[in-house]
Amino acid sequence: MAAADRGPDWSGRERPAGGPPRVIVIGAGLAGLATGCYAQMSGLETRIFEKHVLPGGCCTAWSRHGYLFDYCIDWLIGTAEGTGAHQVWSELGALDGKSVTRFDTFNRVVDEHGRAVTFYGDPDRLEAHLLALAPGDAKPIRAFCRDLRRYAAMELPWELTPPPLRTAAERLRTLRAVLPAFRLFWRTATTPMSGFAERFQDPLLRRAFPNMFLQEPEGFPLLPYLYTLAAAHNGNAGFPQGGSLGLARSVEERYTSLGGVIGYRCRVERVLIEDGRAIGVELKDGTRHFADHVVAACDGPTVLERLLEGRYSSPATEKLYGELLDKPGNLYPAVVSAFVGIDGPLPEGEPHSTTYLLTPEDGERLPGSLQRSLVVQLRSSYADGFAPPGKSVLHCTYFSDYRSWKDLRTGDRRAYRARKQEVASFVREFLERTYPGLGGRIELVDVASPVTTERFTGNTYGSILAWQAFSEAEDAANRLVNKDRMRLPGLSGFSMAGQWTALGGLIRAATSGRFAAQYLCRELGRPFRAWPSDNREPWHAGKWGRLPQLDRATVGAPDVGAPDVGVPEAGVAEVGVAE
């Protein structure tokens, strides 16, 4: 029975006299859950409809043969107390009862010849390491580390209120934080990392710096690299206990404790509109649920094309979805993930994350690879519960194109599965070469393609973070949030939230839910309220809940991935790498 069957009946058009306004939220990703939490705290009555059996969207995990494959978080911004981003997670209960793993090493990059550069968060340690590695590049090394020290020393505010609703005091606080470093922000925001990297004479540093973020995000300037490395140094970019699904489950728990109701296996087919106003939703089973307001916190193209039947748009959405969606560099790339289950321990003394730069021959062997590199993360070395006792798990990833995977799965399922096997075979061989003896201990390799991501989350083109920051899409997305107030002209009672509205990243998605609730409260003439969760129960594995299983296929040392199955209509969904 779907969870939507619980709670009050919303099948009638009229709500009880004197009752609070009702809000339907489409999607139980981080943005949808956050919208629900803040709306409940502000005295509204909400329910969330989610087509899947789990919360979190891309912030998820799945299980196979006792292994937990954590899909999303590499680092989480907002893990340091006293920061604005941490306030959001505190209000959402996301870190309740959890420890946070913090990394001295942000990432390591190793070239084809075995030369390595380690990106430490500590500016002094990083500078000494880089100078020892490439003394001829002292000038750009010292310039980068000097800027890193300045970022690490600043207390940058995380905006908790959308610009149109900020008070004079909030605006003044932002100015006081930004103005002293305005020239630094401007210079690092307008200096492309690719251009800065060309200043290095050392060939490894030229290639390594853009891969500081595991792989190179196209078009990124220096600013996000410096900001994130400084955040890691200050303990504000760590890995939370419970990982991705643990984060989603904690926010889900916060939402239901506030009185919210989630309906899983409840696919919304369309938004009900009457006289230019959204009045509710119709589900796949034909049932209708009515509310005073509908918030779509899900895939942007799906919202505009299917849920709203192409009837509404704005200059911002026309720019985003009509002009920029298919233009390279505006969407965050899709990813191929290969989870590797290993009998025994991981190699000792290795950093938690390494980007390996591949030879042209190896790069050609990775199906759909956009960059000649492979990221290897030693997941079970810093996260408890991800592997059975005595075993370990690795997560290998690379940016990949979407179209070749989609065309192959649509036209030739057998060839599609064979291509996934190519990924698994390469990963197996590469790990054996890199860590001799490890290949013989591999028990399984589980591959998720960009098509997997699209089918699991609904994200167009399998993009894991939707619109990319510092791209042409950023101005249009900012207009959608700040000028249009996350709404569409000609349609009242409806708003949007999430990474397709406010750019990608978990803290951005969660904050967009806060913004959506603030705009809604202003529209309804109700005070916006938010306070920290007081749940002090320590995190434990039972909070993951009943995990989706992928045991239908026999998986052993030579096997790969999951069978080509979709999400069934009843029982526990077979998800994650379900094709």
Side-chain angles (χ1 to χ4, degrees):
M1 182 174 67
D5 294 334
R6 302 195 308 267
D9 180 13
W10 286 20
S11 62
R13 292 288 300 272
E14 301 298 326
R15 58 181 165 90
R22 291 175 170 176
V23 180
I24 286 174
V25 181
I26 305 172
L30 262 296
L33 291 170
T35 302
C37 285
Y38 286 114
Q40 289 288 141
M41 283 188 268
S42 299
L44 308 180
E45 187 177 6
T46 71
R47 72 181 349 166
I48 299 174
F49 291 111
E50 168 58 48
K51 70 175 183 178
H52 199 39
V53 297
L54 294 174
C58 280
C59 190
T60 192
W62 60 92
S63 177
R64 189 165 199 158
H65 293 291
Y67 290 96
L68 184 70
F69 298 144
D70 189 88
Y71 183 70
C72 178
I73 298 176
D74 298 312
W75 64 86
L76 182 72
I77 294 293
T79 53
E81 294 185 9
T83 63
H86 188 272
Q87 179 178 331
V88 174
W89 295 131
S90 178
E91 291 166 351
L92 297 177
L95 302 177
D96 284 354
K98 296 177 180 177
S99 61
V100 174
T101 299
R102 295 179 171 88
F103 306 109
D104 294 331
T105 297
F106 189 77
N107 189 35
R108 178 181 66 173
V109 180
V110 179
D111 72 9
E112 308 93 320
H113 310 293
R115 289 189 72 214
V117 56
T118 301
F119 289 100
Y120 300 105
D122 184 325
D124 296 337
R125 189 178 182 187
L126 176 62
E127 183 172 355
H129 170 65
L130 294 176
L131 288 173
L133 189 68
D137 285 316
K139 185 175 181 179
I141 288 171
R142 289 198 170 100
F144 183 85
C145 293
R146 182 172 56 249
D147 286 344
L148 179 58
R149 291 185 186 93
R150 294 186 67 187
Y151 271 93
M154 285 188 286
E155 294 185 9
L156 294 176
W158 184 262
E159 299 299 351
L160 300 172
T161 306
L165 302 186
R166 288 175 196 161
T167 64
E170 288 173 322
R171 295 175 188 273
L172 181 59
R173 185 172 64 248
T174 299
L175 283 174
R176 284 176 174 171
V178 171
L179 281 179
F182 178 78
R183 292 180 63 185
L184 174 67
F185 294 145
W186 178 262
R187 175 170 53 79
T188 56
T190 55
T191 302
M193 170 55 89
S194 58
F196 178 79
E198 287 301 316
R199 300 178 190 176
F200 293 102
Q201 299 175 25
D202 186 281
L204 174 59
L205 295 193
R206 275 203 305 272
R207 298 170 64 194
F209 262 75
N211 284 282
M212 199 185 305
F213 280 176
L214 311 188
Q215 292 203 297
E216 180 180 0
E218 183 178 348
F220 266 32
L222 278 175
L223 189 154
Y225 291 91
L226 292 162
Y227 173 88
T228 307
L229 205 59
H233 177 55
N234 292 329
N236 199 33
F239 190 89
Q241 188 179 14
S244 305
L245 183 57
L247 191 83
R249 285 294 196 196
S250 291
V251 182
E252 174 196 48
E253 182 179 1
R254 171 68 163 158
Y255 173 65
T256 56
S257 74
L258 290 165
V261 176
I262 305 179
Y264 290 109
R265 297 190 183 283
C266 293
R267 175 187 168 102
V268 174
E269 286 297 309
R270 66 190 182 102
V271 175
L272 300 174
I273 299 171
E274 186 176 277
D275 297 328
R277 182 175 187 83
I279 58 172
V281 299
E282 182 177 304
L283 304 186
K284 184 178 180 180
D285 63 7
T287 60
R288 294 185 169 192
H289 304 264
F290 297 92
D292 300 277
H293 196 92
V294 176
V295 180
C298 49
D299 177 67
T302 299
V303 172
L304 296 174
E305 296 167 14
R306 182 169 65 80
L307 300 184
L308 297 179
E309 300 173 324
R311 295 165 57 188
Y312 298 92
S313 66
S314 69
T317 59
E318 288 172 2
K319 177 79 171 179
L320 289 169
Y321 300 104
E323 180 181 336
L324 301 180
L325 183 65
D326 293 309
K327 189 175 180 180
N330 289 302
L331 280 188
Y332 206 86
V335 168
V336 170
S337 287
F339 292 95
V340 184
I342 297 169
D343 183 21
L346 294 172
E348 294 184 1
E350 292 288 293
H352 77 285
S353 175
T354 300
T355 299
Y356 291 95
L357 306 178
L358 304 177
T359 64
E361 294 76 20
D362 278 345
E364 287 295 321
R365 292 183 56 200
L366 272 181
S369 176
L370 297 180
Q371 300 177 11
R372 252 185 16 235
S373 58
L374 180 71
V375 179
V376 178
Q377 295 177 312
L378 311 185
R379 277 294 169 88
S380 55
S381 70
Y382 58 88
D384 294 333
F386 283 8
K391 301 182 187 295
S392 306
V393 64
L394 294 170
H395 186 200
C396 303
T397 59
Y398 63 92
F399 284 161
S400 177
D401 80 299
Y402 160 83
R403 182 52 57 190
S404 64
W405 288 99
K406 181 68 172 181
D407 290 346
L408 201 58
R409 187 183 185 279
T410 301
D412 189 340
R413 293 284 184 90
R414 181 174 295 180
Y416 172 76
R417 288 191 290 268
R419 197 182 204 209
K420 292 181 70 179
Q421 180 65 58
E422 291 176 25
V423 175
S425 297
F426 177 86
V427 166
R428 189 184 301 275
E429 294 171 18
F430 182 81
L431 291 175
E432 173 61 27
R433 267 189 280 150
T434 306
Y435 308 107
L438 187 144
R441 296 192 284 118
I442 293 177
E443 294 189 324
L444 62 87
V445 181
D446 201 81
V447 178
S449 79
V451 181
T452 306
T453 304
E454 182 182 53
R455 298 190 70 248
F456 177 61
T457 67
N459 277 1
T460 296
Y461 301 153
S463 176
I464 57 172
L465 291 172
W467 303 114
Q468 184 164 285
F470 306 101
S471 69
E472 289 185 76
E474 184 167 16
D475 286 344
N478 286 338
R479 175 176 178 175
L480 184 59
V481 173
N482 300 333
K483 183 177 180 180
D484 299 345
R485 302 195 175 199
M486 307 165 85
R487 284 155 170 72
L488 297 172
L491 179 61
S492 59
F494 178 84
S495 56
M496 296 176 288
Q499 59 186 15
W500 289 93
T501 302
L503 304 180
L506 293 179
I507 185 59
R508 283 180 179 268
T511 305
S512 80
R514 199 179 200 274
F515 287 2
Q518 287 171 307
Y519 281 134
L520 182 54
C521 286
R522 177 63 62 91
E523 181 179 298
L524 296 174
R526 302 179 68 94
F528 172 80
R529 295 190 176 95
W531 60 87
S533 168
D534 60 2
N535 182 2
R536 297 296 177 262
E537 181 186 4
W539 167 264
H540 55 83
K543 287 180 174 286
W544 272 317
R546 190 179 180 188
L547 291 168
Q549 302 291 315
L550 286 169
D551 292 338
R552 180 179 295 181
T554 300
V555 182
D559 295 324
V560 56
D564 276 309
V565 293
V567 178
E569 291 301 316
V572 178
E574 298 190 340
V575 295
V577 296
E579 303 311 334

